[in-house]
Amino acid sequence: MPGPWEKVNPFRALTRNNHKRPPTVPSRNGHSADGKPCHISPSALSFKNRWNIKFSKNVKRSAPAEKEVQNGKDHKIDFREEDFDLLGDLVMTGMLARPGTTLQANFPGVEVNAKLTSKAFIWALHCLRLDDVVAVSYSDGSRRFTVHSYAFQKTRWVPSTFGKARRRRTDLHFLAPNAEEVLRWATAFAEQGCFVNFSPHPLSSSKKKGSVASAESSPAPAVKCKPRPLVLVILNPRSGRGRARKVFYGKAEPVLKLAGFKMTVVETTHARHAQELAATVDLSTCPDGIICVGGDGIINEVLNGLLNRENTQEAFAVPIGIIPAGSDNSLIWTVMGIKDPISAALTIVKGSMVATDVFALEWTKTGAQHMGLTIAYYGFMSDVLELSAKYQRRFGPLRYFVAGALRLFCLKQYEGDIHYLPVEPPESGLHNGKVQVEPHLDTPISNGGLFSMNGEIEVGSRTISVGMPISDPLYGTARLPVDSDVYSGTLHPLNEPSEYVRGLDGKTKKQASGRVSTGTEEALAVHHSLPGATSPSPRPRTRSKSRIDRSWSGLSIDNDSGRHSRASSGLSGGGGDDFSVSNGIGESMENAIGIRWSPPEADLETKAGIKMEVIGDTGVKDQALQEKWVEKKGPFLGIMICNHQCKTVQCLKSQTLAPVAEHDDGTLDLIIVRAVGRMQLLRFFVSMQFGRHIKLPYVEYKKVRSVVLKPGSNSHQGCGVDGELLMLDGPISASLLPQQCRLIGRSVRH
Ligand SMILES: Nc1ncnc2c1ncn2[C@@H]1O[C@H](COP(=O)(O)OP(=O)(O)OP(=O)(O)O)[C@@H](O)[C@H]1O
């Protein structure tokens, strides 16, 4: 998706007549050089240390700029917003020339001033975001180096109104004054996380051809960059009408190779092959992750394979990369806003992580579990999924529409009961954000090393900043009352709303209350135990609510540090410095402010007065908990349990199935469609394109902790999980796992 940089600095260097076209640098009157209004604030161009941007004489100027030049003045843009940090910090400057094309190979080009910042590479009036730079190549002893990038570009011959910007590879060659300068540039790029390809000098290798050239004799690269990531690629050749191979080998693989990835590619030969692979592969051969090429189904198989391993802790630490090549690719589209394979490969290359909730379906009769990342559904949609399998080859991504139309034609109703544990509005404000400590807490906060500082702690009116701010307006302020025995691990959430939450406007408050629950409720959450895990997770699942993407790069790691962080964080599922909502009060607090929490699990349960045992209808014996469960009786048309917004690539951009869901908010979103006629069902799907379906009178939308579904004996027994059809045999329950899994990449929306 083109970011602001494309608007400010369209990739002029790539056009042959770039000298004729001025960049869209905003003038003082807020218009670009060609007179069109600028889409970006002029201040966006400023560095922290304030730059003056001057137009050279042969550049076409906007009217006021031209006047000033006629008066003998240079047109200066002086931006004084010191805080604006679009270009990041200056890393290196120097003079570089752009060598001529192959026709004028000997023409050295004109030297221009070039700058590398923490966010962009700028030369003359051109700018390239570092997010688009994959690697830099240089040869030993040569003055030349090449920047390999995949920036968005429009097709030149298509009018801009129609053409869509696509990522295309561009190799930009530069000549530095000498070889040492090339080394400096390469080192600077490596420090900014770009991979550096080094090749020995061509002449030195040709000289050695005749002689006995040993590997040791070839010069070692002088630039140290991140190590080559080792990954396993699982490719489903059947995905998306069989286009996965073309997508991977044609688009994603070149990007990954350029970034130095060492890949073992395995193509699946049958359904569930990916699951078998993920369950049996030696994880030390792919420490940097498993990349799935296909649709949501293949990711689901890999996830289930990993989580069925003996050592689930180790399995959770393996990040999953996604190259979208399936029919739908709802997970990567919703969570990261990416739908093209090159952007997906780029985000994998950059190596950030997104922590995502994982839900588990458990078959009450057998105790079998199946994990999912996107959606579980029963009713009309699972019936459509079953039928659509017949049309995969013939219709590809359209098979769901064909099967949907057929099922609509002979519409059925689905009998059954559903029980769910709703998420209630927060009372205590014991949520992510600042932690308030009453003024007379005079024990030094850091004393005893009980706080590993990750946020802000408020002591009365004073706010002590303790490292990374984790406050979130939607989640308000957590309160740590004085009588809370932090040190022994006992917390009593206050029942009044926090200052932070009270200060919010009504709409935000509403949103906040819809998304989170009280600390007490956290303790009520029902958890599935993982196969292989002896007790509920020793570490809480982390909670990040896009704040991973939005506010700090706590999970951003390069491949080097990624390995390290995995080793150290173990099961934390993507950053132990995050927030937990599902493992009980103590654990929530632990993650919110990094308190080292050590009471035994049983202690927490007693404090909350909860002892959970799996029995009966709702699966829970405790009386207090039983009372909170809500029961709905069928018939229904559909029941959908969503882990995120569930956007669909095939539909409109505004389409969302669960509009207020977040992939990491520690809750599930339940949608129940009551038994209605064809027209109402059609209305549901049409309204869904605009996210308005939840307002329909026959639709119920709830944020829930757990769901138990009992299908009617004569009803359809299929259930869909992330596009996989599973058979029900009696009741099933759904709830979130205590840990989150990690997806490689980051949201492009932030
Ligand atoms: N070689 C294979 N032959 C037949 N089926 C396969 C093979 N490999 C994987 N499968 C099955 O294909 C199913 C669909 O895969 P996938 O989800 O990747 O593609 P898709 O259905 O086109 O995409 P989406 O799920 O996004 O709609 C998976 O459930 C998997 O079990």
Side-chain angles (χ1 to χ4, degrees):
M1 219 184 261
W5 269 113
E6 280 74 39
K7 284 169 184 166
V8 178
N9 287 285
F11 222 88
R12 300 292 182 218
L14 312 175
T15 55
R16 245 178 275 149
N17 54 349
N18 56 16
H19 60 282
K20 288 180 192 162
R21 287 207 256 158
T24 323
V25 174
S27 69
R28 268 182 188 166
N29 62 0
H31 285 66
S32 64
D34 50 14
K36 287 179 189 161
C38 279
H39 301 279
I40 188 165
S41 148
S43 57
L45 280 172
S46 70
F47 276 104
K48 264 184 186 168
N49 53 357
R50 187 145 45 90
W51 281 20
N52 287 341
I53 296 178
K54 296 180 184 184
F55 287 105
S56 64
K57 274 186 182 172
N58 59 351
V59 170
K60 208 172 118 191
R61 297 170 181 85
S62 60
E66 231 152 33
K67 257 188 196 172
E68 285 187 36
V69 175
Q70 277 163 15
N71 296 341
K73 286 182 204 164
D74 254 336
H75 180 67
K76 280 187 186 178
I77 303 172
D78 192 2
F79 304 116
R80 287 168 196 281
E81 270 184 50
E82 306 273 329
D83 295 338
F84 216 103
D85 187 23
L86 193 62
L87 294 183
D89 299 320
L90 194 58
V91 175
M92 174 167 177
T93 60
M95 297 302 285
L96 290 176
R98 294 267 288 119
T101 57
T102 33
L103 288 177
Q104 336 146 305
N106 295 326
F107 178 65
V110 184
E111 276 206 341
V112 292
N113 195 359
K115 291 175 175 75
L116 181 68
T117 76
S118 55
K119 289 186 182 165
F121 175 51
I122 302 134
W123 71 101
L125 288 166
H126 309 288
C127 177
L128 184 63
R129 294 189 321 169
L130 282 190
D131 278 351
D132 299 335
V133 176
V134 177
V136 172
S137 304
Y138 76 101
S139 300
D140 179 38
S142 164
R143 280 176 56 206
R144 191 177 168 125
F145 72 96
T146 307
V147 179
H148 307 279
S149 68
Y150 277 85
F152 278 101
Q153 292 168 55
K154 287 210 165 190
T155 315
R156 280 172 54 204
W157 45 268
V158 177
S160 59
T161 338
F162 303 110
K164 245 189 173 183
R166 279 170 204 276
R167 286 193 186 272
R168 291 200 183 91
R169 176 168 171 171
T170 312
D171 295 338
L172 297 157
H173 305 288
F174 293 94
L175 273 181
N178 51 50
E180 286 74 47
E181 192 73 357
V182 171
L183 270 185
R184 278 187 58 218
W185 279 106
T187 312
F189 273 104
E191 280 166 7
Q192 299 313 308
C194 301
F195 185 75
V196 177
N197 288 297
F198 167 79
S199 52
H201 197 283
L203 288 179
S204 66
S205 59
S206 63
K207 263 187 217 165
K208 279 172 198 157
K209 257 186 185 170
S211 63
V212 202
S214 65
E216 293 96 59
S217 62
S218 66
V223 176
K224 280 212 164 156
C225 70
K226 56 186 181 184
R228 290 169 177 267
L230 276 175
V231 292
L232 169 69
V233 178
I234 300 181
L235 188 153
N236 176 5
R238 295 281 297 273
S239 286
R241 224 175 176 181
R243 66 186 182 112
R245 268 198 204 113
K246 201 173 159 194
V247 164
F248 179 69
Y249 295 112
K251 295 183 174 176
E253 194 194 37
V255 182
L256 299 175
K257 274 194 172 163
L258 202 55
F261 274 59
K262 284 187 185 164
M263 294 171 277
T264 311
V265 184
V266 182
E267 293 190 9
T268 56
T269 52
H270 53 270
R272 303 254 170 259
H273 187 185
Q275 188 163 340
E276 290 158 22
L277 279 170
T280 52
V281 70
D282 177 3
L283 293 180
S284 64
T285 59
C286 51
D288 294 293
I290 298 180
I291 297 176
C292 308
V293 187
D296 292 329
I298 208 79
I299 303 162
N300 186 274
E301 285 196 8
V302 168
L303 178 82
N304 279 282
L306 282 173
L307 300 190
N308 279 324
R309 293 177 77 100
E310 294 245 308
N311 189 348
T312 30
Q313 304 216 357
E314 200 187 24
F316 262 113
V318 178
I320 300 174
I322 308 167
I323 302 290
S327 325
D328 197 7
N329 313 308
S330 173
L331 181 66
I332 186 168
W333 175 228
T334 313
V335 173
M336 298 186 203
I338 292 173
K339 54 181 169 183
D340 76 292
I342 298 181
S343 298
L346 261 180
T347 199
I348 290 173
V349 165
K350 293 295 166 190
S352 303
M353 298 286 161
V354 176
T356 308
D357 293 335
V358 181
F359 65 85
L361 290 190
E362 187 170 326
W363 277 249
T364 313
K365 267 191 192 170
T366 59
Q369 286 188 336
H370 191 92
M371 269 55 86
L373 288 169
T374 299
I375 183 173
Y377 41 85
Y378 169 74
F380 179 79
M381 279 175 73
S382 57
D383 230 352
V384 169
L385 180 72
E386 192 174 5
L387 187 63
S388 69
K390 281 187 190 172
Y391 304 112
Q392 182 169 19
R393 282 253 134 176
R394 214 177 310 160
F395 295 106
L398 288 179
R399 66 185 187 274
Y400 297 118
F401 294 99
V402 176
L406 289 173
R407 278 279 168 256
L408 191 72
F409 192 64
C410 39
L411 189 63
K412 283 194 237 165
Q413 291 188 347
Y414 303 85
E415 290 293 341
D417 295 349
I418 186 161
H419 303 252
Y420 59 83
L421 182 65
V423 173
E424 282 173 15
E427 285 165 18
S428 69
L430 184 64
H431 298 297
N432 177 49
K434 289 183 259 169
V435 173
Q436 280 188 350
V437 181
E438 297 292 314
H440 52 280
L441 179 72
D442 45 23
T443 314
I445 288 161
S446 57
N447 213 7
L450 283 166
F451 290 80
S452 68
M453 301 308 182
N454 280 335
E456 284 180 344
I457 294 187
E458 282 187 11
V459 181
S461 56
R462 218 153 44 94
T463 300
I464 302 167
S465 181
V466 286
M468 267 186 291
I470 53 169
S471 63
D472 184 326
L474 291 183
Y475 291 86
T477 308
R479 274 177 162 252
L480 247 178
V482 148
D483 56 352
S484 62
D485 186 356
V486 175
Y487 304 103
S488 70
T490 317
L491 286 169
H492 312 285
L494 295 185
N495 281 334
E496 62 175 299
S498 69
E499 234 91 286
Y500 205 112
V501 171
R502 269 188 262 130
L504 296 174
D505 62 281
K507 196 180 162 193
T508 323
K509 258 189 224 171
K510 230 188 215 171
Q511 272 178 304
S513 59
R515 273 188 227 191
V516 291
S517 68
T518 61
T520 319
E521 274 172 18
E522 324 290 11
L524 303 183
V526 179
H527 297 300
H528 284 277
S529 60
L530 283 167
T534 48
S535 61
S537 138
R539 295 262 315 170
R541 57 172 288 285
T542 58
R543 191 214 170 286
S544 51
K545 205 215 116 350
S546 317
R547 82 179 68 96
I548 284 174
D549 319 327
R550 284 188 212 141
S551 46
W552 88 82
S553 54
L555 288 178
S556 292
I557 49 165
D558 62 37
N559 289 294
D560 207 11
S561 60
R563 278 179 211 170
H564 176 256
S565 80
R566 272 198 296 283
S568 61
S569 69
L571 237 180
S572 65
D577 47 12
D578 227 329
F579 178 58
S580 162
V581 288
S582 73
N583 243 24
I585 307 164
E587 286 159 327
S588 300
M589 292 307 302
E590 174 181 357
N591 267 0
I593 57 172
I595 305 166
R596 277 184 226 135
W597 190 265
S598 55
E601 199 75 24
D603 208 279
L604 270 178
E605 284 190 0
T606 324
K607 278 279 161 212
I610 301 297
K611 284 248 164 39
M612 281 183 283
E613 279 179 47
V614 178
I615 56 136
D617 273 7
T618 52
V620 178
K621 190 180 175 184
D622 181 80
Q623 190 56 37
L625 201 52
Q626 280 277 15
E627 281 167 11
K628 294 195 169 206
W629 282 80
V630 179
E631 187 188 351
K632 301 271 166 182
K633 291 212 175 289
F636 308 105
L637 270 191
I639 291 164
M640 288 149 260
I641 304 163
C642 307
N643 191 29
H644 52 72
Q645 292 189 352
C646 300
K647 290 172 180 252
T648 309
V649 176
Q650 319 291 343
C651 299
L652 297 183
K653 255 192 172 178
S654 55
Q655 178 268 348
T656 55
L657 183 56
V660 292
E662 291 284 352
H663 61 274
D664 55 356
D665 63 356
T667 60
L668 291 165
D669 289 46
L670 173 70
I671 302 166
I672 303 172
V673 186
R674 290 245 154 230
V676 284
R678 282 187 195 87
M679 289 319 288
Q680 278 101 323
L681 186 61
L682 262 182
R683 199 174 152 203
F684 173 83
F685 286 115
V686 173
S687 322
M688 198 172 81
Q689 303 307 311
F690 309 97
R692 290 193 211 125
H693 56 294
I694 56 171
K695 289 180 188 156
L696 296 173
Y698 47 90
V699 176
E700 274 181 56
Y701 186 100
K702 290 273 181 260
K703 282 218 159 262
V704 296
R705 295 244 166 263
S706 295
V707 180
V708 176
L709 169 73
K710 289 203 289 180
S713 49
N714 295 327
S715 268
H716 181 242
Q717 292 293 315
C719 158
V721 183
D722 298 358
E724 302 283 291
L725 187 73
L726 305 169
M727 279 304 154
L728 298 177
D729 181 19
I732 53 161
S733 62
S735 55
L736 287 176
L737 289 183
Q739 291 104 343
Q740 290 178 306
C741 84
R742 299 192 298 166
L743 303 179
I744 313 174
R746 66 172 184 175
S747 170
V748 294
R749 297 199 188 96
H750 80 278

